[in-house]
Amino acid sequence: MTILVTGGAGYIGSHTCVELLEAGYDVIVADNYYNSVPEVLDRVEKITGKKLKRYECDIRDREGLERIFSENKVDAVIHFAGLKAVGESARLPLLYYENNISGSVTLFEVMEKAGCKKIVFSSSATVYGNNPIPYREDMVTGDVSSPYGRTKHFIEKILGDVYNSDNSWSISLLRYFNPIGAHESGLIGEDPNGIPNNLMPYISRVAIGKLEKLTVFGGDYDTKDGTCIRDYIHVVDLAKAHLCAVAKILGTTGIEAYNIGNGKGYSVLDIIHAFEKASGSKLNYVIGGRREGDLPAFYADASKANKELGWTAQYDIDKMCEDTWNFQKKNPDGIK
Ligand code: NAD
Ligand code: WQD
């Protein structure tokens, strides 16, 4: 079976490629390397001892995508390619709509033309907006606070319309919670350009001495210690969820959304303390003001993925922090 992985050189995509190759799939990666480097794919091959096929291709490039489908028999697509910085999306909404939505529509059109109607899409817990916690898949979605989040909501809806128009599609919408951690080898992990927006890469850059201190965004929320609560999920657990989703869509038709989270909430201070334990040293941090748009607390009800995909998260926050720190120590300047 051959799986096309768009955005396969990125953080979650690269970990998923490892799991796919180890499970015996043939893997094709299409990535424009906007937020990644080809070296990541060399490392995926090093970890697995297997080769993957790669195309430097933008998903907005219809001819480039058509070439991939004409040169290969693709059985299913895992679609990671997209821009993901929430703050940037508010400054550059058209870039996000163009890249994420236009790119996705082009991909779906090319798939349809090629007769490949099986897809796993990277959605996000952000589509739940202000719903009560824990989030469940049957809740109404779309009350989102950023253009980025809206791209995820719209793409879910577009795929819903595609399925309604043609029931031979098989579509899995995976709503990720907060992925952190790295592959145990320390060869691949999260390696954002510039100053990180997300908590874990920020913490690890403070710990390695590249950034001076972490500012905790808000210490006065109505939570157990005043800091925000999130559902952190090890990226390898997340990658494995894709294997379960691919196995399911290969044998069925339909459209389903699944929460991919641990089902447990941890505060920012919990994460800082777990990271300090993993790294063996104190982290320099201060409690600052709230970040606009942050919700006080959210976590998943992940029982549907367990029941229907046979997937459940294995790793706890200690392991997430240990693997993040291992990756950071082995790659103090990132992956070039
Ligand atoms: P990432 O930036 O590390 O990976 C995305 C990859 O897509 C990169 O390699 C980038 O170069 C590529 N890409 C972007 N635009 C492209 C285009 N037009 N054509 C081809 N390639 C393109 O991000 P990630 O953390 O691995 O996220 C993967 C997916 O999961 C994204 O769609 C993201 O929105 C979604 N997601 C991420 C998180 C998270 O916290 N990391 C949470 C929920 C959902
Ligand atoms: C986690 C917690 C911050 C940085 C975002 C997207 C979401 C999804 C995952 C893609 C929050 C706090 C952070 C810092 C801090 N991505 N924090 N200091 O905001 O939960 O989710 O990434 O789909 O859509 O919105 O993740 O890692 O930015 O923040 O205190 O320097 O850490 O306030 O409570 P978030 P995050």
Side-chain angles (χ1 to χ4, degrees):
M1 286 285 166
T2 300
I3 312 296
L4 171 64
V5 184
T6 73
Y11 173 45
I12 307 168
S14 58
H15 288 81
T16 303
C17 288
V18 167
E19 298 302 320
L20 287 168
L21 288 168
E22 285 181 343
Y25 288 98
D26 292 322
V27 175
I28 303 167
V29 168
D31 202 302
N32 65 358
Y33 304 118
Y34 180 87
N35 196 34
S36 56
V37 289
E39 166 68 17
V40 169
L41 298 176
D42 298 338
R43 294 182 179 205
V44 167
E45 292 179 340
K46 192 169 169 193
I47 292 168
T48 59
K50 295 184 179 173
K51 290 271 174 213
L52 46 72
K53 201 163 169 181
R54 45 181 105 176
Y55 288 85
E56 181 166 352
C57 176
D58 193 299
I59 55 164
R60 292 164 295 180
D61 170 9
R62 184 180 304 271
E63 282 169 19
L65 285 176
E66 283 178 344
R67 194 177 133 224
I68 298 175
F69 281 87
S70 69
E71 290 179 0
N72 304 277
K73 190 195 159 299
V74 176
D75 294 293
V77 175
I78 306 182
H79 177 31
F80 294 104
L83 304 179
K84 63 164 182 176
V86 174
E88 183 185 65
S89 78
R91 289 193 304 279
L92 302 169
L94 295 177
L95 174 68
Y96 274 67
Y97 290 131
E98 217 274 315
N99 191 79
N100 293 6
I101 299 185
S102 303
S104 295
V105 170
T106 304
L107 172 69
F108 306 155
E109 285 173 338
V110 172
M111 288 177 67
E112 185 172 54
K113 195 169 157 199
C116 174
K117 299 182 183 175
K118 295 184 180 293
I119 185 165
V120 178
F121 171 61
S122 298
S123 189
S124 167
T126 195
V127 300
Y128 288 108
N130 256 319
N131 272 293
I133 45 177
Y135 292 156
R136 286 191 328 270
E137 292 86 346
D138 57 8
M139 288 172 164
V140 174
T141 55
D143 176 23
V144 285
S145 58
S146 71
Y148 164 75
R150 257 182 291 285
T151 69
K152 294 295 171 192
H153 176 65
F154 290 155
I155 297 165
E156 284 198 1
K157 293 296 175 197
I158 290 167
L159 285 169
D161 290 337
V162 168
Y163 176 73
N164 289 337
S165 73
D166 175 354
N167 291 174
S168 65
W169 278 80
S170 188
I171 300 166
S172 187
L173 311 171
L174 300 188
R175 295 177 180 157
Y176 312 155
F177 282 68
N178 286 56
I180 59 172
H183 192 265
E184 216 169 22
S185 62
L187 285 170
I188 55 173
E190 190 169 14
D191 184 26
N193 293 327
I195 297 178
N197 302 302
N198 296 109
L199 179 65
M200 195 47 124
Y202 204 107
I203 288 181
S204 57
R205 290 209 186 160
V206 172
I208 202 85
K210 298 271 179 198
L211 291 170
E212 193 208 335
K213 64 169 180 284
L214 170 78
T215 300
V216 175
F217 296 142
D220 58 352
Y221 286 99
D222 184 17
T223 58
K224 61 173 186 173
D225 59 19
T227 67
C228 290
I229 305 282
R230 294 289 182 271
D231 182 338
Y232 296 92
I233 168 97
H234 196 298
V235 66
V236 172
D237 274 331
L238 180 54
K240 288 180 175 162
H242 292 78
L243 243 62
C244 300
V246 162
K248 167 127 196 228
I249 61 165
L250 283 173
T252 50
T253 57
I255 178 165
E256 290 294 339
Y258 297 102
N259 288 340
I260 307 297
N262 252 294
K264 293 188 195 106
Y266 290 98
S267 71
V268 177
L269 291 180
D270 287 335
I271 297 294
I272 291 173
H273 296 142
F275 196 92
E276 288 178 334
K277 193 166 124 198
S279 66
S281 48
K282 286 276 168 216
L283 191 86
N284 191 15
Y285 73 89
V286 289
I287 308 281
R290 294 181 177 194
R291 181 172 65 178
E292 202 189 325
D294 271 344
L295 290 168
F298 64 81
Y299 52 92
D301 175 339
S303 55
K304 184 179 174 192
N306 179 251
K307 241 180 266 146
E308 295 185 17
L309 298 179
W311 173 86
T312 191
Q314 306 288 326
Y315 298 123
D316 62 15
I317 56 165
D318 289 337
K319 173 77 173 152
M320 297 179 213
C321 291
E322 281 158 23
D323 288 341
T324 300
W325 181 230
N326 180 44
F327 172 72
Q328 184 67 74
K329 272 187 306 185
K330 288 188 172 151
N331 304 275
D333 299 315
I335 303 174
K336 297 282 174 262

